[in-house]
């Protein structure tokens, strides 16, 4: 959570696991996301979706992240060992 989504959003290509969850949890702590989230996320998903994530604190799954452009690919699930 937090920098776990903000820093990769700066990357040229982001691959997520199928069970990945993305969230900006700062609002629950009475804070706003740091510069990473306010700069990198709007570049990837737009300001309206960034605002939604920042103000609600709700988590989005890998499928939504892919649809929004936050990730570029969902990796194949790991085989059961």
């Amino acid at each position: 959570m937090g920098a776990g989504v903000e820093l990769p959003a700066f990357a040229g290509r982001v691959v997520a696991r199928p069970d990945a969850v993305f969230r900006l949890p700062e609002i629950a702590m009475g804070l706003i996301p740091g510069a990473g989230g306010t700069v990198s996320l709007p570049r990837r998903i737009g300001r309206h979706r960034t605002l939604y994530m920042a103000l609600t604190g709700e988590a989005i799954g890998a499928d939504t992240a892919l649809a929004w452009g936050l990730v570029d690919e969902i990796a194949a699930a790991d085989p059961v060992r």
Side-chain angles (χ1 to χ4, degrees):
M1 299 296 163
V5 66
E6 295 165 340
L7 293 177
F10 280 115
R13 182 157 179 77
V14 179
V15 179
R17 291 174 43 121
D19 60 348
V21 177
F22 303 92
R23 184 176 152 221
L24 293 173
E26 290 87 348
I27 195 75
M29 297 176 266
L31 304 170
I32 59 170
T38 58
V39 174
S40 65
L41 287 173
R43 289 180 182 173
R44 276 201 162 258
I45 65 174
R47 63 183 181 181
H48 294 101
R49 289 178 174 154
T50 300
L51 183 63
Y52 169 80
M53 289 183 72
L55 294 181
T56 66
E58 291 186 23
I60 63 168
D63 290 331
T64 300
L66 180 64
W68 286 7
L70 184 57
V71 300
D72 302 302
E73 180 184 347
I74 298 176
D78 291 333
V80 178
R81 296 177 192 216

